[in-house]
Amino acid sequence: MAKDSLTVKDNRTGKEYELPISDGTIKAMDLRQIKTGAEDFGIMTYDPAFMNTASTKSAITYLDGDKGILRYRGYPIEQLAEKCNYMEVSYLILYGELPNKAQYDQWVFDITHHTILHENIRHFMQNFRYDAHPMGMFISTVAALSTFYPEATKIADKELRTIQIQRLIAKVPTIAGFSYRHTRGLPHVYPDNALSYPGNFLNMMFKFTELRYEPNPVLERALDVLFILHADHEQNCSTNAMRAIGSSKVDPYSAMAGAAAALYGPLHGGANEEVLKMLAQIGDVKSIPAFLDKVKKGEGKLMGFGHRVYKNYDPRAKIIKKVAEDVFKVTGRNPLLDIALELESIALKEDYFISRKLYPNVDFYSGIIYQAMGLPVSFFPVMFAIPRTVGWLSQWQEMLGDEEQKIARPRQIYTGVDERDFAPMDKRK
Ligand code: CMC
């Protein structure tokens, strides 16, 4: 008997099966041979919410939730956040290696030369209501881009794929900037290609009457680091959506609109918005114990805490805490930070959180920084979506090249009524 195998005995039949183990995993399809008879479909696994199912092999991001480790293409997140900018990291995530000087220059050139949006897109965005949620505008506009680039449906063409990837990475800050200006009733600011990726983003958000917008270097760098930290996170909810939608072979704009919609939810990228609402609602450090009592009774969640994979401090949250200090030196201290720090300190001593291994995640401190930078709370999920674009697209591309992948189509256990005969309306109860 092979050592790397699992012996399964079916007590219904007394038969034994040997299932190969590789990478600590058995293949769900290997269970299908376990049957009680020829009519039997075979054993399936039941795993709502993918609690214990690897849906793919991936070489992009490594995460060890117990140890609090996060690496992109093998590089620890701490090193990338300290030594790189987002353009280098996005190249790394997409291509697998950090760029050399020539590759970097070409990459920056390619991205900056796709930052402009078609004027019709600008007009399209002007039709949103003045109080439209920025994430709703983001999702719809990304989807609308597919109508501008019909060649994007040719997803088997690597060159065309690369152009769509560059377009999306380049245009998402412009979409975000336009949506912000729209809600403020301000004229749109066109991209300034002489600025860095985060610097240009700040320009499109905050430029007023000055001839040339000069981003504050501390805020520009802080944003670069935040973008690095959000660039990818293996098979999270929105990435899983990107892969699932992409597996139908739809164009990347449509798939990414779906991924962004998944991100919008309050349990995922919408959590940073919820954290700020929660901190504002708590209002004062004195109210923290009463708030935590409610959480412990199951009357609400401590937003920005907990993670499906991290059962230790989220390494991104540690870095963000440091970034916050730099930002506050420029913007002044966000008073909500005191509530957040106290909340964390009390929660980490409480048995409820310790026993469930609930620690601050990436969303706990990011919103406090964004707010200090002058961004409205509703805009925070967009700040997650911009840098995650490269993660979604890299995972999508990896999925397309993976011969083991097919259209994503889970099974179900049917729990409805058995076959019955149609009843005309006058015979129905
Ligand atoms: N506050 C209070 N209790 C919590 C929290 C929380 N934030 N998170 C989990 N729990 C409890 C949960 O009620 C459950 O308790 P019990 O065992 O008594 O039923 C236990 O901890 C296990 O939680 P779970 O819901 O089974 O865990 P999950 O892996 O399904 O959910 C999560 C992960 C992130 C959705 C969840 O922790 C949560 O809702 N957190 C708040 C929202 C949030 O901050 N989301 C951002 C995630 S990080 C950024 C990203 O990748 O999107």
Side-chain angles (χ1 to χ4, degrees):
M1 193 174 297
K3 215 167 161 218
D4 285 339
S5 70
L6 180 74
T7 302
V8 177
K9 182 171 176 190
D10 185 347
N11 294 322
R12 300 169 304 175
T13 58
K15 268 173 132 181
E16 280 197 2
Y17 301 83
E18 198 187 338
L19 312 179
I21 299 176
S22 102
D23 300 315
T25 311
I26 59 156
K27 287 192 172 158
M29 278 304 285
D30 285 348
L31 297 171
R32 194 66 83 66
Q33 58 183 308
I34 307 177
K35 298 178 180 203
T36 49
E39 295 287 290
D40 189 351
F41 181 76
I43 294 268
M44 292 194 299
T45 54
Y46 177 58
D47 188 12
F50 298 117
M51 295 292 287
N52 195 36
T53 295
S55 61
T56 187
K57 293 175 182 161
S58 179
I60 301 173
T61 291
Y62 175 77
L63 218 167
D64 183 327
D66 291 325
K67 297 197 183 118
I69 292 174
L70 171 62
R71 296 181 201 134
Y72 298 154
R73 302 284 189 182
Y75 292 104
I77 190 70
E78 294 79 6
Q79 289 183 24
L80 295 172
E82 195 191 327
K83 298 187 169 42
C84 290
N85 64 31
Y86 177 71
M87 278 291 94
E88 281 173 279
V89 171
S90 53
Y91 184 99
L92 168 73
I93 289 178
L94 191 61
Y95 294 109
E97 294 296 338
L98 282 166
N100 61 29
K101 176 82 173 78
Q103 289 165 329
Y104 176 77
D105 289 345
Q106 185 61 47
W107 176 239
V108 171
F109 178 90
D110 290 339
I111 297 301
T112 47
H113 283 76
H114 284 294
T115 50
I116 293 273
L117 290 174
H118 192 292
E119 280 297 282
N120 284 359
I121 280 283
R122 195 168 63 78
H123 297 147
F124 168 85
M125 293 187 76
Q126 273 165 350
N127 289 305
F128 284 112
R129 283 183 62 103
Y130 68 94
D131 59 351
H133 194 288
M135 202 55 185
M137 290 194 260
F138 183 89
I139 294 164
S140 322
T141 309
V142 168
L145 283 179
S146 73
T147 65
F148 286 75
Y149 306 109
E151 74 276 16
T153 53
K154 294 186 184 139
I155 56 161
D157 184 323
K158 194 164 182 300
E159 222 168 287
L160 280 177
R161 239 174 25 224
T162 302
I163 293 172
Q164 314 317 322
I165 290 172
Q166 288 168 353
R167 279 188 177 134
L168 271 162
I169 295 170
K171 289 182 199 307
V172 283
T174 318
I175 295 173
F178 280 19
S179 70
Y180 172 73
R181 308 286 290 198
H182 179 70
T183 51
R184 298 290 309 275
L186 294 168
H188 296 145
V189 176
Y190 286 92
D192 181 343
N193 285 351
L195 294 174
S196 71
Y197 191 84
N200 174 45
F201 170 71
L202 289 168
N203 160 62
M204 291 187 290
M205 298 286 287
F206 299 126
K207 183 170 187 284
F208 256 84
T209 51
E210 64 271 48
L211 284 179
R212 191 86 196 266
Y213 179 85
E214 298 232 358
N216 179 297
V218 175
L219 301 188
E220 187 181 6
R221 177 64 196 153
L223 212 52
D224 227 353
V225 174
L226 285 162
F227 283 175
I228 291 170
L229 299 181
H230 286 86
D232 192 52
H233 211 234
E234 54 123 292
Q235 305 313 312
N236 56 85
C237 176
S238 56
T239 301
N240 182 54
M242 181 82 197
R243 281 178 172 262
I245 300 170
S247 75
S248 75
K249 307 274 191 247
V250 73
D251 70 86
Y253 300 97
S254 304
M256 202 180 107
L263 186 78
Y264 187 8
L267 297 188
H268 190 10
N272 50 16
E273 185 179 349
E274 298 302 316
V275 171
L276 256 280
K277 287 188 202 155
M278 175 189 76
L279 295 175
Q281 205 189 339
I282 295 173
D284 195 294
V285 282
K286 281 191 230 128
S287 311
I288 292 175
F291 172 77
L292 287 179
D293 280 346
K294 280 190 175 176
V295 171
K296 287 185 280 182
K297 278 191 220 144
E299 297 169 18
K301 278 187 170 171
L302 174 50
M303 298 310 284
F305 258 62
H307 200 275
R308 170 63 57 79
V309 185
Y310 290 121
K311 300 301 167 198
N312 200 325
Y313 214 102
D314 182 335
R316 301 170 299 174
K318 265 190 211 158
I319 300 169
I320 290 182
K321 237 172 138 179
K322 277 211 313 245
V323 172
E325 285 165 23
D326 299 338
V327 169
F328 295 155
K329 279 184 203 140
V330 176
T331 61
R333 195 176 164 85
N334 185 336
L336 293 181
L337 180 68
D338 294 326
I339 301 178
L341 287 170
E342 187 64 11
L343 201 51
E344 177 191 329
S345 140
I346 299 179
L348 292 183
K349 287 184 207 118
E350 298 251 356
D351 183 57
Y352 177 94
F353 297 94
I354 297 169
S355 61
R356 290 171 178 78
K357 298 188 177 168
L358 301 172
Y359 291 86
N361 58 49
V362 70
D363 291 315
F364 194 64
Y365 287 104
S366 61
I368 300 175
I369 302 179
Y370 296 140
Q371 194 180 49
M373 285 179 169
L375 294 165
V377 174
S378 61
F379 205 77
F380 298 174
V382 176
M383 298 303 290
F384 199 145
I386 294 169
R388 185 53 62 86
T389 296
V390 73
W392 289 328
L393 293 164
S394 306
Q395 299 266 354
W396 166 72
Q397 190 151 253
E398 185 177 58
M399 182 266 305
L400 291 177
D402 181 346
E403 284 175 1
E404 283 187 306
Q405 291 293 339
K406 284 170 172 270
I407 187 163
R409 204 315 187 172
R411 295 276 174 177
Q412 67 161 16
I413 300 168
Y414 178 68
T415 58
V417 289
D418 248 342
E419 185 180 358
R420 52 181 164 170
D421 284 329
F422 170 81
M425 202 173 278
D426 60 341
K427 295 273 167 8
R428 294 176 205 161
K429 276 189 210 151

